[in-house]
Amino acid sequence: MVNSNADSAMGILFPNSYDSLVPELVAERLMASIPFASRYRMVDFVLSSMVNSGIDNISLIVKKNYHSLMDHLGSGREWDLTRKKGGLNIIPPFAQKTVNVYNGRVEALASILDYLKRQSEKYVIMADTNIAVNFDFADLLQQHIDSSADVTIAYTKEEIPADLVNIDITKKDLYYTLDVADDGRVKNIVVNDKESGEKNVSMNIYVINRKLLIEQIEAAYVSGLTYFERDIIAPKLGTLNVRGYQHTGYYARIVSTRSYFRENMKMLNADNVEGLFSPSPIYTKIRDDNPTRYMNGVHVKNVMAADGCIIEGEVENSILFRGVKIGKGAKVRNCVLMQDTVIETGADVEYTITDKNVHISAYKELKGTDSFPVFVEKRKNV
Amino acid sequence: MAKEMIAMLLAGGQGSRLYTLTQKLAKPAVPFGGKYRIIDFPLSNCVNSGIDTVGILTQYQPLVLNEYIGNGQPWDLDRLHGGVHVLPPYQQASGSDWYKGTANAIYQNISFIERYDPKYVIILSGDQICKQDYSDFLEFHKAKGAEFSVAVMEVPWDEAGRFGLMVTDENDKITEFQEKPKEPKSNLASMGIYIFNWNILKQYLIEDENDPSSENDFGKNIIPNLLRDKRDMYAYRFDGYWKDVGTISSLWEANMEVLDPENSGINLFDDSWRIYSRNSGMTGHRIGENAILENSMITDGCDIEGEVNHSILFAGVKVEKGAVIEDAVVMGGSVIKAGAQVKHCIIAENVVIEKDAVVGAMPEGDEKGVATIGSNVVIGEGAVIGPKAMVSSDVEGGGKVW
């Protein structure tokens, strides 16, 4: 893909966005590094999609708990982002006279204004990492250019997930729904809509002209504004040409631990896997595991498993991440077992999410339900 | 900056005894063990032993191998100084020549070796499955004050005559070398892995090159010449897993041994000695509703709806409902369609076995063999491929190859 700067875009990701919705999962990490679909992390999807769409200058503005993300991304080689110009750029909070961690996108972007000014791309594409999606950013950018929009917002048509409707707005991240006119123009942005029925739910993927973004952020920062959507875009819908872009392909939106569980389980359906992993490949960190070994006497049904597992017992309807070990006579049903989980001999585990390096001892029983899966935190022995 | 020891990996062999598997592929690039290629073993051994400079000597079908090695990053061999280099024959002021033999291949790359000014050079072979710590070997070489050492394996006496044998004294000093003798005086078989003091190696390479009657081969020329001059030569006994996978049956057998690490000694599940490879980048594999699995290894990207028993499936293999796979090695991207039977065989990459086709058979009396299907071949619906067959081109539906 040959891109001249005239119509190219840089990417900015917000890896901490929506951390507040999944407190257990982000106890020692952030949204972007939550493991998903047996061998990936949430960030892999948007990051790979950007790379596959010809975007090779991508910044991640991190806020806290980002060690796991830095470890995962390294120099960005697996995403082909080890570049002299552009490439991968992780921006931790800058320690100022008083160390204050930003709230909302305005402060986050304000903290990298100088950097933004030095870039050469004409457009900026911003995204969160709580949606696993194989997204065609090139098509989004093309529509943005063709429609002479100032801002284009990607959305999906769906019922607002119940776990979002019921959140405590004072403690959780905000979500946005859009009124989109027939001509594609966004007429209204509703913050934390509680109406039922199908809505245009924002994916928080935005295309904006870089110079316009800089102007808007400078103005908003001076006025003490916080939220890009609520405080910048929503009030200017009359003067700015803000347009919607509907995503109709597959996506997995993580809005709660329960939805995390369900979205993983959806990977047991081959059509969903096809939807998420095509047309373009999703890249992730290489761990050099051996192939997964199934021993004599295993019973395995409806399972997605990564490399490096050793399975001796029974597994059904489950997602196994890299290096999971399931002992003889152990039963695992409807579970999401993250990297290097060990289920010992005879243990019986159902509707359970185990975080990395969890150890379930022999003959232990652990049972959750579909709507309330048990969650076992990182490195815990049960 | 001088390196203590660099490795030269002989990967030029055509591997003609692997027939259809090596028609478009150098032998070291042949897939092995679910997600590896043969060359991953010596390369990973190098890195795990602390050797960071490797020259790969190649001249036969180098395309796949070149692309696979790339800049060496999967093996951590992308280094500022050193790293991995693929070394095909090249034109020099004095003319150009194919590598005439193993020794000549090294001779033609003397200037490559000198760039690193090494004290020792280890010569490796690209057609063996072996996990070996070369730093132990080097320690032995230094402790003995050797000028040349060769890694050897004890083999059963009745098989010794098939190997190059090192006859040694009680200090492991080599007194005689027998190449495939009728009457073996030793059961220490050369593994084709040598450590030389570089000054000695260089001297003998030059001498060998100037001998017009020489075949320019380590086993036939260099080692006998060292013996003639009574150099300090030692045999280093290695007792781990080692297998020359130069034939279809030994390649199949080695793959099957991977399924039985407890007894075979080839453990790929060893965190302290990982084997690195260029990864497929595919999603986790899927085991469907109707799948039946027994003692098998399954790699990323596989999609299993049928029955898989005692087999190794490489990345992206699809096994449809009702298909049966037993004692088989199925390489990357191949598809086994509904009702097909695939037994006791090797299926190369991107093969399609159509519905109800039968490939290979479990051994029965004299009817035994490892059926082999070459890459990109399509075996038509209901076709039958016999247990000794070697198939390199498409077989029509209902066809029979015996």
Side-chain angles (χ1 to χ4, degrees), chain A residues 12 45 50 58 88 91 96 107 111 128 167 196 198 202 224 230 239 262 276 299 310 320-321 337 342 352 359:
Chain A
I12 296 178
F45 297 90
M50 283 189 166
I58 302 175
L88 186 75
I91 305 166
Q96 296 168 335
E107 282 181 35
S111 72
D128 292 339
I167 58 176
S196 60
E198 200 166 66
S202 169
R230 187 191 69 185
T239 50
R262 289 205 178 133
L276 185 53
H299 290 277
I310 300 182
L320 311 181
F321 286 75
L337 308 182
V342 178
T352 297
H359 213 100

Short mmCIF file of all heavy atoms in Angstrom, two decimals, chain A residues 12 45 50 58 88 91 96 107 111 128 167 196 198 202 224 230 239 262 276 299 310 320-321 337 342 352 359:
data_model
loop_
_atom_site.label_atom_id
_atom_site.label_comp_id
_atom_site.label_asym_id
_atom_site.label_seq_id
_atom_site.Cartn_x
_atom_site.Cartn_y
_atom_site.Cartn_z
N ILE A 12 -4.27 6.59 17.17
CA ILE A 12 -4.09 6.80 18.61
C ILE A 12 -5.04 5.85 19.34
O ILE A 12 -6.25 5.85 19.07
CB ILE A 12 -4.40 8.25 19.02
CG1 ILE A 12 -3.40 9.21 18.36
CG2 ILE A 12 -4.33 8.40 20.54
CD1 ILE A 12 -3.67 10.67 18.67
N PHE A 45 -6.49 -6.66 18.16
CA PHE A 45 -7.47 -6.58 17.08
C PHE A 45 -7.45 -5.22 16.39
O PHE A 45 -7.29 -5.13 15.18
CB PHE A 45 -8.86 -6.94 17.62
CG PHE A 45 -8.89 -8.36 18.12
CD1 PHE A 45 -8.58 -8.66 19.45
CD2 PHE A 45 -9.18 -9.40 17.26
CE1 PHE A 45 -8.57 -9.97 19.89
CE2 PHE A 45 -9.17 -10.72 17.70
CZ PHE A 45 -8.86 -11.00 19.02
N MET A 50 -5.44 -1.73 12.14
CA MET A 50 -4.82 -0.48 11.68
C MET A 50 -3.65 -0.78 10.77
O MET A 50 -3.51 -0.20 9.69
CB MET A 50 -4.36 0.36 12.88
CG MET A 50 -5.50 1.08 13.57
SD MET A 50 -4.89 2.26 14.80
CE MET A 50 -6.41 3.20 15.09
N ILE A 58 1.43 4.52 15.13
CA ILE A 58 0.36 4.30 16.11
C ILE A 58 0.86 4.61 17.52
O ILE A 58 1.88 4.06 17.96
CB ILE A 58 -0.17 2.86 16.02
CG1 ILE A 58 -0.68 2.57 14.60
CG2 ILE A 58 -1.29 2.62 17.05
CD1 ILE A 58 -1.11 1.14 14.37
N LEU A 88 5.47 2.05 16.48
CA LEU A 88 4.70 1.96 17.72
C LEU A 88 5.26 2.92 18.75
O LEU A 88 6.47 3.04 18.91
CB LEU A 88 4.78 0.53 18.26
CG LEU A 88 3.93 0.22 19.47
CD1 LEU A 88 2.47 0.08 19.05
CD2 LEU A 88 4.40 -1.06 20.12
N ILE A 91 2.91 5.96 25.14
CA ILE A 91 3.10 7.23 25.86
C ILE A 91 2.55 7.11 27.28
O ILE A 91 1.34 7.14 27.49
CB ILE A 91 2.38 8.37 25.12
CG1 ILE A 91 2.87 8.42 23.67
CG2 ILE A 91 2.63 9.69 25.82
CD1 ILE A 91 2.00 9.27 22.77
N GLN A 96 4.44 15.60 35.89
CA GLN A 96 4.55 17.05 35.92
C GLN A 96 4.82 17.50 37.34
O GLN A 96 5.09 16.67 38.19
CB GLN A 96 3.25 17.68 35.38
CG GLN A 96 3.06 17.31 33.91
CD GLN A 96 1.68 17.65 33.41
OE1 GLN A 96 0.72 17.74 34.15
NE2 GLN A 96 1.59 17.82 32.10
N GLU A 107 -7.69 15.54 28.16
CA GLU A 107 -6.41 15.67 28.88
C GLU A 107 -5.36 14.75 28.31
O GLU A 107 -4.18 15.09 28.23
CB GLU A 107 -6.62 15.37 30.37
CG GLU A 107 -7.24 16.52 31.12
CD GLU A 107 -7.41 16.22 32.61
OE1 GLU A 107 -6.54 15.53 33.18
OE2 GLU A 107 -8.41 16.65 33.19
N SER A 111 -1.88 16.07 26.59
CA SER A 111 -0.54 15.72 27.06
C SER A 111 0.39 15.35 25.90
O SER A 111 1.60 15.27 26.08
CB SER A 111 -0.63 14.55 28.07
OG SER A 111 -0.94 13.35 27.39
N ASP A 128 -10.65 2.87 21.03
CA ASP A 128 -10.45 2.19 22.32
C ASP A 128 -10.08 0.74 22.03
O ASP A 128 -9.99 0.34 20.88
CB ASP A 128 -11.75 2.25 23.14
CG ASP A 128 -12.05 3.67 23.58
OD1 ASP A 128 -11.10 4.48 23.61
OD2 ASP A 128 -13.22 3.96 23.89
N ILE A 167 -24.93 0.89 34.61
CA ILE A 167 -23.73 1.29 35.33
C ILE A 167 -23.94 2.57 36.14
O ILE A 167 -24.81 3.38 35.84
CB ILE A 167 -22.52 1.48 34.39
CG1 ILE A 167 -22.82 2.54 33.31
CG2 ILE A 167 -22.08 0.16 33.81
CD1 ILE A 167 -21.63 2.83 32.44
N SER A 196 -34.67 1.79 25.71
CA SER A 196 -34.48 0.45 25.15
C SER A 196 -34.66 0.49 23.63
O SER A 196 -35.04 1.52 23.07
CB SER A 196 -35.45 -0.53 25.79
OG SER A 196 -36.76 -0.09 25.52
N GLU A 198 -33.22 -0.81 19.55
CA GLU A 198 -31.97 -0.80 18.79
C GLU A 198 -31.44 0.62 18.67
O GLU A 198 -32.18 1.55 18.36
CB GLU A 198 -32.24 -1.40 17.41
CG GLU A 198 -30.97 -1.87 16.74
CD GLU A 198 -31.28 -2.76 15.55
OE1 GLU A 198 -31.84 -2.23 14.57
OE2 GLU A 198 -30.95 -3.96 15.61
N SER A 202 -21.97 3.95 19.66
CA SER A 202 -20.65 4.36 19.18
C SER A 202 -19.60 3.31 19.52
O SER A 202 -19.61 2.73 20.60
CB SER A 202 -20.25 5.69 19.81
OG SER A 202 -18.88 5.95 19.54
N GLY A 224 -11.06 23.78 30.39
CA GLY A 224 -11.20 22.79 31.44
C GLY A 224 -12.16 21.65 31.10
O GLY A 224 -12.76 21.05 31.97
N ARG A 230 -18.48 14.21 24.72
CA ARG A 230 -19.49 14.99 25.40
C ARG A 230 -19.22 16.49 25.28
O ARG A 230 -20.12 17.29 25.08
CB ARG A 230 -19.53 14.59 26.88
CG ARG A 230 -20.66 15.20 27.69
CD ARG A 230 -20.45 14.96 29.18
NE ARG A 230 -19.31 15.72 29.71
CZ ARG A 230 -18.87 15.60 30.97
NH1 ARG A 230 -19.45 14.75 31.79
NH2 ARG A 230 -17.85 16.33 31.38
N THR A 239 -22.08 22.96 13.79
CA THR A 239 -21.06 23.65 13.00
C THR A 239 -20.07 22.69 12.34
O THR A 239 -19.56 22.98 11.26
CB THR A 239 -20.26 24.64 13.88
OG1 THR A 239 -19.83 23.94 15.06
CG2 THR A 239 -21.12 25.82 14.28
N ARG A 262 -18.99 -14.28 27.81
CA ARG A 262 -19.85 -14.65 26.67
C ARG A 262 -19.15 -14.46 25.34
O ARG A 262 -19.30 -15.28 24.43
CB ARG A 262 -21.13 -13.81 26.69
CG ARG A 262 -22.01 -14.23 27.84
CD ARG A 262 -23.46 -13.91 27.56
NE ARG A 262 -24.24 -14.39 28.69
CZ ARG A 262 -25.17 -13.69 29.30
NH1 ARG A 262 -25.47 -12.49 28.87
NH2 ARG A 262 -25.83 -14.20 30.32
N LEU A 276 -14.27 -12.77 12.96
CA LEU A 276 -13.30 -11.98 13.71
C LEU A 276 -11.90 -12.04 13.10
O LEU A 276 -11.14 -11.09 13.17
CB LEU A 276 -13.26 -12.45 15.17
CG LEU A 276 -12.38 -11.63 16.13
CD1 LEU A 276 -12.73 -10.15 16.08
CD2 LEU A 276 -12.52 -12.15 17.55
N HIS A 299 -11.37 -36.62 26.60
CA HIS A 299 -12.67 -36.37 25.98
C HIS A 299 -12.72 -34.89 25.70
O HIS A 299 -12.74 -34.09 26.62
CB HIS A 299 -13.80 -36.77 26.91
CG HIS A 299 -13.90 -38.24 27.09
ND1 HIS A 299 -14.54 -39.05 26.21
CD2 HIS A 299 -13.38 -39.04 28.05
CE1 HIS A 299 -14.44 -40.31 26.61
NE2 HIS A 299 -13.73 -40.33 27.73
N ILE A 310 -1.48 -29.13 27.56
CA ILE A 310 -1.40 -30.58 27.72
C ILE A 310 -2.72 -31.03 28.34
O ILE A 310 -3.06 -30.64 29.46
CB ILE A 310 -0.22 -30.98 28.62
CG1 ILE A 310 1.10 -30.50 27.99
CG2 ILE A 310 -0.18 -32.51 28.81
CD1 ILE A 310 2.32 -30.87 28.76
N LEU A 320 -9.30 -22.38 25.87
CA LEU A 320 -8.05 -22.60 26.58
C LEU A 320 -6.95 -21.74 25.98
O LEU A 320 -6.68 -21.82 24.79
CB LEU A 320 -7.63 -24.08 26.50
CG LEU A 320 -8.70 -25.13 26.83
CD1 LEU A 320 -8.10 -26.53 26.71
CD2 LEU A 320 -9.26 -24.90 28.22
N PHE A 321 -6.33 -20.93 26.82
CA PHE A 321 -5.22 -20.10 26.36
C PHE A 321 -3.92 -20.91 26.38
O PHE A 321 -3.92 -22.08 26.74
CB PHE A 321 -5.11 -18.83 27.22
CG PHE A 321 -6.19 -17.84 26.92
CD1 PHE A 321 -7.49 -18.05 27.38
CD2 PHE A 321 -5.95 -16.71 26.17
CE1 PHE A 321 -8.51 -17.15 27.09
CE2 PHE A 321 -6.96 -15.81 25.88
CZ PHE A 321 -8.24 -16.02 26.34
N LEU A 337 -10.07 -20.49 30.44
CA LEU A 337 -8.86 -20.69 31.24
C LEU A 337 -7.70 -19.93 30.59
O LEU A 337 -7.26 -20.28 29.51
CB LEU A 337 -8.51 -22.18 31.35
CG LEU A 337 -9.62 -23.13 31.82
CD1 LEU A 337 -9.10 -24.56 31.91
CD2 LEU A 337 -10.19 -22.68 33.17
N VAL A 342 -3.49 -24.33 35.59
CA VAL A 342 -3.33 -25.77 35.81
C VAL A 342 -4.56 -26.30 36.53
O VAL A 342 -4.92 -25.81 37.60
CB VAL A 342 -2.07 -26.07 36.65
CG1 VAL A 342 -1.94 -27.57 36.90
CG2 VAL A 342 -0.82 -25.54 35.93
N THR A 352 -16.34 -21.07 34.83
CA THR A 352 -15.30 -20.39 35.59
C THR A 352 -14.33 -19.70 34.64
O THR A 352 -14.00 -20.23 33.58
CB THR A 352 -14.53 -21.42 36.46
OG1 THR A 352 -15.44 -21.99 37.40
CG2 THR A 352 -13.37 -20.79 37.20
N HIS A 359 -4.03 -22.06 39.75
CA HIS A 359 -3.81 -23.47 40.05
C HIS A 359 -5.05 -24.01 40.77
O HIS A 359 -5.35 -23.56 41.86
CB HIS A 359 -2.59 -23.57 40.97
CG HIS A 359 -1.81 -24.79 40.76
ND1 HIS A 359 -0.65 -24.79 40.01
CD2 HIS A 359 -1.99 -26.06 41.17
CE1 HIS A 359 -0.16 -26.02 39.98
NE2 HIS A 359 -0.95 -26.81 40.66
#
